[in-house]
Amino acid sequence: MKILVINTGSSSIKYQLFDLGSQDKVIASGIVEKIGEDISFVTYKRILPGGSGFEENTEECSIGDHAKGMNRIVDLLVDSTHGSIKDKKEISAIGHRVVHGGEAFHSPTIIDEEVIKAIERNIPLAPLHNPSNLVGIEVAELTFPDIPQVAVFDTAFHQTMPMKAFLYALPLEMYKKNGIRRYGFHGTSHSYVAEKAAEYMGRPLNELNLITIHLGNGASMAAIKEGECVDTTMGMTPLAGLVMGTRSGDIDPALPFFMAERFRLSLKDIDTLLNKDSGLKGLCGTNDMREVIDQKDAGDEDSKIALDVYAYRIKKYIGSYFAALGNLDAVIFTAGIGENVSYIRELCCGGLDGLGIEIDLERNNKNGNGIREINSAGSKSKILIIPTDEELKIAQETKKIIEN
Ligand code: AMP
C-alpha cells in the first residue's frame, strides 16, 4: 500500500512516499522550500521505475504557493519516465504531520470538517505551525480529492499524562478557560521508539517502563509507564525542558521580566532570544552538535561547558522520571544527537549506577546502525540507541486507520 506523508511548514512542504508491505520502504522523498519567494528550491530523491536505482536532484524554480508546490510534488512522483508511480491513484492515503492537537486528539484521525475546525481551534496554542499544517491539508485535499487524509498529531501520545503532570500551578481558570497546560511534542518519535524497544526486548509495551530521550535540533524526553506517557519535558510550547540547538529549555520564569526591564527588550525580542539565540548556540556560538564537539575537542572551554549544561539537564530529568516511574526497564536515546553522539550519552548516563543504569563505555563508543544496546551486562535497566523515523510512523498510523 502506498502512503504519502506530508509535513507542511510556512514556506515548505516535506514529503515521503512509502510502500508499506512485507518490507516498509521509502520510494520517493523530497522538500519544496522557499515557497512564495523569488527563487524556490525543490530537492528530491526517487527510486526509478523497476527499482533501477535512485535519482537525486535539486532544482531552482518559482513556486508561488503551496498548491503549486504540491503540484510539483505530484509531477515528480508520477513523471512518466522517472516517476516512482504511474498514476496518483496508486496512493491510498495521505498522512499529515499536525503539530498541535490540543486536548481534542489522543490518536491519529481521518480528516473531516470537524477535525479541520478542531485544528483551527488549536491555532492559539501553535500559531506558527497549525496554520501551515492546515494549508497542507487544504492543498492535499484539492490535489487528491478522492483519498483519505489522516492527521497524526505531535501532541497526541502525551495526552495520557495525568493532571498532576500536565497542570501548571497557575490560576486554574487559565487551564479551564484557555487550555494553558503542558502538552508535549515529538510524540510520534517517542511512541515509535517505545514500540521498537518493546519489539527489541521481546516484551509487550504495556508491561514496560521507559524513558525516551529525543535529541535532535529540538529535544525532549518522555516518561512512559506501562506503555503510556506519564510525563514529558516540553510544555505548552516546544520551548520548555531540555537545552536545545537554539532554545533555552527550562529557565527561571521571572527572567523575561528581568530582561525586559534591565535590557529594555520587547516581548518579541525575548521570544527570539529564547527560541533562536539560546541553547547550544547561545552558550558556545553554534547549534550544530558536530561543531560543538569539534570545538570542544579543539580545547574551546565554552563548548565544553555548553555540553556539560546540555547533558546535566538530561541527567536530572532521567532522575526525576525514574522517580515518576518507580522502576525502569530501559532508557532510549534517539534522533540526530541521541543516535550519534557517544560523548553526550556518556555524560547523561555516567554515575547513575545507583539507579540501576550502567553504561558500557566500549559499546557506547562503537559506531553502528539499527538498534544498539549500550548498557553493561550487569545493568538493571537497558540503555538503547534506537533510530527514530517519524515519517514512517505517520505512514504506518495512516495505513492502520484506513484499514480499520
Ligand atoms: P535532527 O534534528 O534529529 O536531524 O538532529 C540534528 C542534530 O543532530 C544536529 O545538532 C546535528 O549536528 C546532530 N547530528 C546529526 N548527525 C550527527 C553525527 N553523525 N554526529 C554528531 N552530531 C550529529
Side-chain angles (χ1 to χ4, degrees):
M1 178 186 288
K2 302 209 171 65
I3 305 281
L4 181 64
V5 173
I6 299 284
N7 183 355
T8 312
S10 57
S11 62
S12 67
I13 309 175
K14 251 195 233 166
Y15 69 94
Q16 284 198 23
L17 180 62
F18 286 88
D19 190 358
L20 300 184
S22 53
Q23 266 195 327
D24 297 339
K25 54 180 193 257
V26 180
I27 52 176
S29 61
I31 181 164
V32 184
E33 290 173 287
K34 299 195 183 272
I35 294 172
E37 296 188 22
D38 291 345
I39 300 174
S40 315
F41 295 92
V42 182
T43 304
Y44 61 89
K45 184 172 178 179
R46 55 189 176 181
I47 214 166
L48 294 169
S52 54
F54 271 101
E55 181 197 21
E56 281 183 89
N57 201 2
T58 298
E59 42 182 52
E60 274 184 34
C61 48
S62 167
I63 305 271
D65 56 33
H66 283 78
K68 294 199 174 80
M70 186 62 83
N71 287 337
R72 184 70 198 117
I73 291 171
V74 173
D75 289 346
L76 285 167
L77 293 175
V78 184
D79 180 291
S80 58
T81 47
H82 293 102
S84 307
I85 51 175
K86 291 201 172 63
D87 192 309
K88 68 179 183 181
K89 291 204 179 88
E90 285 179 47
I91 298 172
S92 303
I94 300 193
H96 293 266
R97 179 178 189 183
V98 181
V99 167
H100 220 306
E103 291 190 324
F105 299 104
H106 294 224
S107 54
T109 184
I110 298 232
I111 298 170
D112 59 16
E113 280 296 300
E114 284 310 305
V115 170
I116 288 180
K117 280 190 198 138
I119 298 172
E120 279 169 354
R121 279 196 296 277
N122 285 323
I123 286 176
L125 298 173
L128 299 180
H129 295 103
N130 275 23
S132 315
N133 299 156
L134 282 165
V135 170
I137 291 168
E138 195 183 319
V139 297
E141 282 182 335
L142 284 174
T143 316
F144 299 91
D146 303 320
I147 63 169
Q149 314 267 339
V150 173
V152 181
F153 300 92
D154 274 11
T155 48
F157 179 65
H158 304 299
Q159 277 297 303
T160 47
M161 276 189 289
M163 233 175 179
K164 66 184 175 189
F166 75 65
L167 212 51
Y168 295 125
L170 295 170
L172 194 56
E173 67 197 33
M174 294 272 176
Y175 164 59
K176 289 194 167 165
K177 286 204 185 130
N178 302 300
I180 293 179
R181 51 159 284 182
R182 180 187 305 284
Y183 289 96
F185 300 86
H186 291 143
T188 313
S189 176
H190 289 290
S191 79
Y192 177 80
V193 297
E195 279 170 18
K196 286 277 163 199
E199 262 174 58
Y200 174 82
M201 293 164 79
R203 291 177 58 192
L205 181 56
N206 64 10
E207 284 179 10
L208 292 179
N209 284 1
L210 307 170
I211 296 175
T212 49
I213 309 177
H214 175 111
L215 305 177
N217 265 324
S220 68
M221 291 171 60
I224 299 172
K225 192 175 177 72
E226 294 166 0
E228 293 195 334
C229 177
V230 293
D231 208 344
T232 191
T233 54
M234 283 179 168
M236 186 172 118
T237 75
L239 180 57
L242 303 182
V243 177
M244 305 179 218
T246 61
R247 286 174 241 163
S248 64
D250 295 341
I251 55 164
D252 180 339
L255 269 178
F257 318 120
F258 179 87
M259 290 173 182
E261 268 193 30
R262 187 69 179 266
F263 309 124
R264 299 269 162 242
L265 296 181
S266 66
L267 285 180
K268 196 165 174 298
D269 294 335
I270 296 172
D271 187 62
T272 305
L273 186 141
L274 296 179
N275 276 293
K276 302 240 155 66
D277 295 325
S278 296
L280 292 172
K281 184 179 170 199
L283 288 170
C284 67
T286 173
N287 62 320
D288 186 327
M289 181 55 89
R290 279 174 274 231
E291 290 175 18
V292 184
I293 297 279
D294 287 348
Q295 289 175 184
K296 184 261 306 172
D297 289 344
D300 179 54
E301 209 35 48
D302 292 349
S303 300
K304 162 128 190 21
I305 288 164
L307 293 166
D308 283 345
V309 174
Y310 183 94
Y312 181 62
R313 182 84 50 89
I314 297 167
K315 188 173 191 163
K316 280 206 293 192
Y317 270 113
I318 293 177
S320 68
Y321 285 177
F322 188 96
L325 294 171
N327 63 60
L328 181 66
D329 295 294
V331 174
I332 296 151
F333 286 93
T334 193
I337 295 167
E339 291 165 31
N340 293 299
V341 187
S342 57
Y343 181 74
I344 289 293
R345 295 190 300 260
E346 180 181 337
L347 287 183
C348 295
C349 295
L352 294 181
D353 308 21
L355 298 183
I357 303 168
E358 283 178 32
I359 191 163
D360 179 310
L361 296 182
E362 206 176 305
R363 282 173 159 187
N364 183 44
N365 283 324
K366 237 188 233 155
N367 291 329
N369 294 315
I371 300 184
R372 283 169 287 153
E373 186 170 329
I374 57 166
N375 49 277
S376 69
S379 180
K380 194 159 169 286
S381 301
K382 291 203 180 300
I383 308 173
L384 303 174
I385 302 169
I386 303 188
T388 194
D389 194 336
E390 289 165 280
E391 280 74 19
L392 173 60
K393 174 80 173 153
I394 293 172
Q396 290 169 337
E397 294 285 350
T398 301
K399 177 170 182 251
K400 211 190 297 171
I401 204 164
I402 62 163
E403 281 179 341
N404 287 328

